[in-house]
Amino acid sequence: MSAAVPSTEPTQSVDNLTDGFHLLIDALKINGVKTIYNVPGIPITDLGRYAQAQGLRVLSFRHEQHAGYAAAAAGFLTKKPGICMTVSAPGFLNGLTALAHATTNCWPMILISGSSEREIVDLQRGDYEEMDQLAIARPHCKAAYRILHAEDIGLGVARAIRAALTGRPGGVYLDIPGQLLGQVMDAVEGQKSLIEVVDPNPASVPSPEAISRAVDVLKSAKKPLIILGKGAAYAQADDKVRELVETLGFPYLPMSMAKGLLPDTHPQCASAARSLVLKESDCVFLIGARLNWLLQHGQGKSWGEKGSKKFVQIDIEPTEMDSNQKISAPLIGDIESCATALLDAIGSNWQKPPEEWTGAVSSKVKANVEKMAPRLRNNNSPMDYQGSLGVMKELIAQNPDVVLVNEGANALDQARSIIDIHKPRKRLDVGTWGIMGIGMGSAVAAAVETGNQVLAIEGDSAFGFCGMEVETICRYNLPVCIVIMNNNGIYRGDGTNWSGGEDPSTTVFVKGARYDLMMQAFGGEGVTVNNPDELRQAIQAAFDSRKPTLINAVIAEDAGKESGNIGNLNPSSVVAQARYPQAKKI
Ligand code: OXT
Ligand code: ADP
Ligand code: MG
């Protein structure tokens, strides 16, 4: 059955032949792949070189996790699988966290890893970087495939692309035993074996019954609320989503990465009245958002009285329904098809919700925005989160195409609520898992995939997970401006060692660290700023020059809260509280 011929014929002309390297590159290219996020090494070093020679953009990182986070972010931004390429065992494992992250976030990504030959791995004979990678990958992604023969490369790549994209998107693992790349076969046969995937994102249209059920529930609501999730941002049905939200006239809450789908300054945006709308609403319409921990599973104090709400949900994944609360009107389908069908069913006589409800929400928004405004204008030194982020709010409003990357605890939660996003898919952050370390990979992907300026707002701890990638940013001369919110630690910099011993507290770092010098080491711009005015000037200079820049922003050690806005998730016990009374004061 094998069309492969040995590659060792010394006198054979190669004109009519191809090999595993070229077939893999060609299979990716005919499916529209333009960029590979990569860390070279045995057995994929030459694959990267040849891919670059064949016109693909191959960006090499310093660690596979960040190449993987870049691929995951690329999947979210482009609605096409982001490709990450790694070496075997350790490189593969480094990339696997990112693959699991992509899957958890419902983003398409393909992790291609070189591996040892089956004959060696299966008998556990102790190969160089030996590991049964396929078995290890399988539980952490949507699908996992291995290609053994050159003539199957087209099939393997097509399966991976379709699995990553169709239905709920996710991560796919593609196992490439090293010898596969060197297999040689007839070039014409090889070309014929490639598959260009047709319609990997097929429309998924909800039934008319499901639509009329949803319209009935939405119509009967007195205090309706829409929650837009990052699935709605991913879907790239921006105009339809906006039309639906505006036609219905409901207040809406954007989840973190759905911010900007409609501008955060939109009159229906209820972000600044979050507690009120979650508690008081009687009908919640979820569009590409899951009722997971980020929404307290749709229950508890913040959701008001038990049983006080009905839920309507659009999701491409049927099993998402009823995963946390009863969904009275499930709409299974893609967001564009569901929104189109709903708009058709609603027609032009839609009765918007009572003014009593929308007016109450608007008043709360107005009051909270006004309350926050003066805090955002302080010029304190050292800075607090409000003064520093207030400056960045203004700069993003003036430059709405800038892609904001954001991670940390206080640096994340404060930035999310303070900085308005004005356009779709202009915010990338820690996602469903709340992972630290996505920052530099996401920043590289955002710059490469969009060509836009990137502003990465990073907690000093968060940055520590991925900081070496500043060299990558400098090497490719990317328009990335990194602001380190430097409060000398995780959550706060003023923790003490409760034993009274000499080691610092578990949550504090070297005081007064100069992260800006790291950037200078690789030829980028690096500067320390101590007040919001200096911060504004430094960011503006970075936007003007589009040079890789790192701004070390000195934040007061005591400005943050334990775990930012999610301190309630830390476990506690009466024993621990009795033994460590200091714990209560944090
Ligand atoms: O309505 P109310 O009154 O409730 O008010 C709300 C809004 O109405 C209001 N608001 C506004 N007011 C006025 N104007 C405007 N425009 C406005 N907008 C909103 O503000 C409040 C809050 O609104 P929000 O944000 O919408 O609501 P809330 O309640 O926060 O939303 C709930 C959530 C759950 C949806 C939201 O909080 C959320 O999305 N949270 C995500 C949290 C998250 O994922 N955190 C990251 C993980 S934390 C922790 O695990 C960390 N680690 C451990 C670790 C991790 N994560 N990963 C790995 C690989 N290893 C270890 C570590 C190490 S964080 C961390 C490092 C931290 O240190 P850093 O130095 O990096 O950072 P610093 O803290 O800065 O030092
Ligand atoms: P957030 O964290 O912003 O609340 P989630 O990641 O929890 O968002 O939810 C995103 C949801 O969107 C997932 O359940 C996913 O299945 C769904 N989804 C992704 N793409 C589409 C699409 N094109 N149409 C409909 N639903 C989608
Ligand atoms: Mg910090």
Side-chain angles (χ1 to χ4, degrees):
M1 96 119 199
S2 172
V5 295
S7 58
T8 45
E9 270 312 309
T11 53
Q12 196 175 9
S13 156
V14 296
D15 292 351
N16 300 326
L17 298 177
T18 186
D19 60 15
F21 290 109
H22 289 88
L23 286 167
L24 185 52
I25 294 162
D26 290 347
L28 293 171
K29 277 176 74 172
I30 65 161
N31 281 291
V33 170
K34 297 204 164 39
T35 308
I36 297 177
Y37 300 95
N38 162 70
V39 175
I42 299 167
I44 53 111
T45 315
D46 282 341
L47 182 60
R49 288 194 183 111
Y50 301 158
Q52 194 172 44
Q54 295 292 321
L56 286 171
R57 188 152 196 214
V58 184
L59 293 125
S60 286
F61 282 66
R62 305 300 290 256
H63 189 288
E64 292 86 352
Q65 201 170 87
H66 309 300
Y69 289 146
F76 170 67
L77 290 170
T78 63
K79 215 179 171 186
K80 298 197 179 95
I83 310 288
C84 174
M85 205 158 76
T86 78
V87 304
S88 2
F92 154 77
L93 284 176
N94 287 344
L96 191 59
T97 307
L99 187 70
H101 160 74
T103 308
T104 303
N105 284 278
C106 313
W107 295 345
M109 165 181 169
I110 301 174
L111 175 66
I112 300 176
S113 294
S115 64
S116 300
E117 303 314 304
R118 296 270 13 111
E119 295 83 339
I120 310 265
V121 176
D122 288 352
L123 286 172
Q124 298 180 16
R125 293 173 60 195
D127 204 3
Y128 165 74
E129 296 188 351
E130 175 186 302
M131 176 175 270
D132 189 357
Q133 295 168 198
L134 191 70
I136 289 164
R138 198 159 263 143
H140 304 291
C141 57
K142 209 178 148 189
Y145 305 112
R146 175 187 295 123
I147 307 174
L148 289 175
H149 304 291
E151 65 266 31
D152 292 335
I153 286 176
L155 198 76
V157 169
R159 304 249 320 122
I161 289 174
R162 199 174 280 283
L165 285 172
T166 304
R168 171 180 276 174
V172 175
Y173 174 60
L174 200 53
D175 195 73
I176 304 290
Q179 297 299 323
L180 171 74
L181 297 170
Q183 285 180 24
V184 171
M185 70 180 285
D186 178 77
V188 176
E189 289 302 312
Q191 193 57 37
K192 279 195 224 156
S193 72
L194 301 182
I195 298 175
E196 186 181 347
V197 178
V198 177
D199 195 15
N201 275 316
S204 167
V205 182
S207 70
E209 296 77 30
I211 288 290
S212 72
R213 190 187 300 119
V215 171
D216 287 348
V217 177
L218 296 174
K219 223 184 241 171
S220 65
K222 300 276 175 295
K223 297 177 175 179
L225 169 69
I226 289 171
I227 298 183
L228 296 173
K230 59 180 170 308
Y234 168 80
Q236 295 193 15
D238 308 337
D239 293 345
K240 275 285 165 221
V241 169
R242 185 171 184 148
E243 191 185 342
L244 182 63
V245 172
E246 291 182 340
T247 305
L248 290 172
F250 299 176
Y252 74 89
L253 268 186
M255 297 300 287
S256 189
M257 272 183 269
K259 278 166 72 77
L261 200 41
L262 284 81
D264 282 342
T265 48
H266 192 281
Q268 286 167 250
C269 181
S271 287
R274 182 185 175 86
S275 299
L276 174 94
V277 290
L278 284 183
K279 196 166 182 186
E280 301 286 327
S281 53
D282 63 357
C283 174
V284 176
F285 181 13
L286 298 152
I287 305 182
R290 288 171 286 184
L291 277 176
N292 57 13
W293 74 277
L294 288 156
L295 287 167
Q296 297 84 41
H297 311 282
Q299 65 195 33
K301 238 178 28 209
S302 49
W303 281 79
E305 215 176 299
K306 199 165 187 266
S308 62
K309 294 182 205 323
K310 286 196 168 163
F311 290 93
V312 178
Q313 182 165 22
I314 298 180
D315 207 290
I316 193 101
E317 173 57 51
T319 60
E320 187 54 40
M321 303 298 154
D322 306 323
S323 57
N324 281 281
Q325 298 294 326
K326 174 183 168 178
I327 304 300
S328 302
L331 288 167
I332 317 287
D334 71 278
I335 285 163
E336 175 129 42
S337 300
C338 291
T340 306
L342 268 179
L343 282 162
D344 288 349
I346 284 167
S348 52
N349 296 323
W350 178 257
Q351 200 69 40
K352 292 200 171 162
E355 160 64 24
E356 205 184 326
W357 170 239
T358 51
V361 177
S362 303
S363 308
K364 185 73 183 171
V365 167
K366 192 161 172 277
N368 278 353
V369 169
E370 278 170 10
K371 202 161 95 193
M372 193 196 264
R375 294 188 213 141
L376 305 182
R377 289 195 291 266
N378 83 63
N379 203 34
N380 294 343
S381 174
M383 293 178 275
D384 56 24
Y385 288 95
Q386 286 84 3
S388 51
L389 291 167
V391 162
M392 293 188 255
K393 176 190 170 93
E394 281 172 26
L395 286 164
I396 290 288
Q398 290 156 15
N399 301 276
D401 287 315
V402 168
V403 183
L404 186 74
V405 171
N406 189 199
E407 59 176 335
N410 295 282
L412 173 84
D413 291 329
Q414 298 278 349
R416 185 182 58 249
S417 54
I418 290 172
I419 300 180
D420 293 326
I421 306 292
H422 305 270
K423 293 190 174 182
R425 295 172 295 285
K426 295 288 181 280
R427 185 183 155 87
L428 291 169
D429 68 25
V430 298
T432 304
W433 266 352
I435 304 190
M436 296 301 109
I438 51 83
M440 295 304 102
S442 304
V444 171
V448 167
E449 302 290 341
T450 70
N452 293 2
Q453 173 70 45
V454 176
L455 178 65
I457 304 178
E458 299 273 311
D460 50 341
S461 163
F463 177 71
F465 288 75
C466 53
M468 193 61 204
E469 300 299 342
V470 294
E471 189 275 333
T472 309
I473 289 167
C474 288
R475 190 166 9 111
Y476 294 106
N477 194 25
L478 297 173
V480 174
C481 172
I482 305 159
V483 176
I484 308 292
M485 306 292 278
N486 188 358
N487 63 350
N488 297 340
I490 299 177
Y491 314 137
R492 293 166 68 96
D494 59 355
T496 55
N497 179 339
W498 294 350
S499 78
E502 279 182 14
D503 278 352
S505 157
T506 56
T507 53
V508 306
F509 298 148
V510 164
K511 309 271 181 200
R514 293 287 306 280
Y515 294 97
D516 47 325
L517 301 183
M518 279 177 71
M519 198 58 149
Q520 288 180 16
F522 301 109
E525 299 289 324
V527 57
T528 286
V529 299
N530 292 291
N531 63 52
D533 283 342
E534 289 175 9
L535 177 61
R536 179 183 289 102
Q537 279 171 29
I539 297 176
Q540 191 59 60
F543 285 5
D544 292 344
S545 71
R546 284 174 64 89
K547 281 193 190 147
T549 301
L550 190 150
I551 300 166
N552 179 44
V554 179
I555 305 289
E557 283 192 333
D558 61 354
K561 286 191 294 188
E562 175 88 2
S563 301
N565 287 7
I566 55 171
N568 60 311
L569 297 184
N570 286 307
S572 172
S573 83
V574 284
V575 178
Q577 282 185 11
R579 252 176 228 174
Y580 306 107
Q582 306 97 311
K584 285 195 188 135
K585 294 192 199 114
I586 290 177

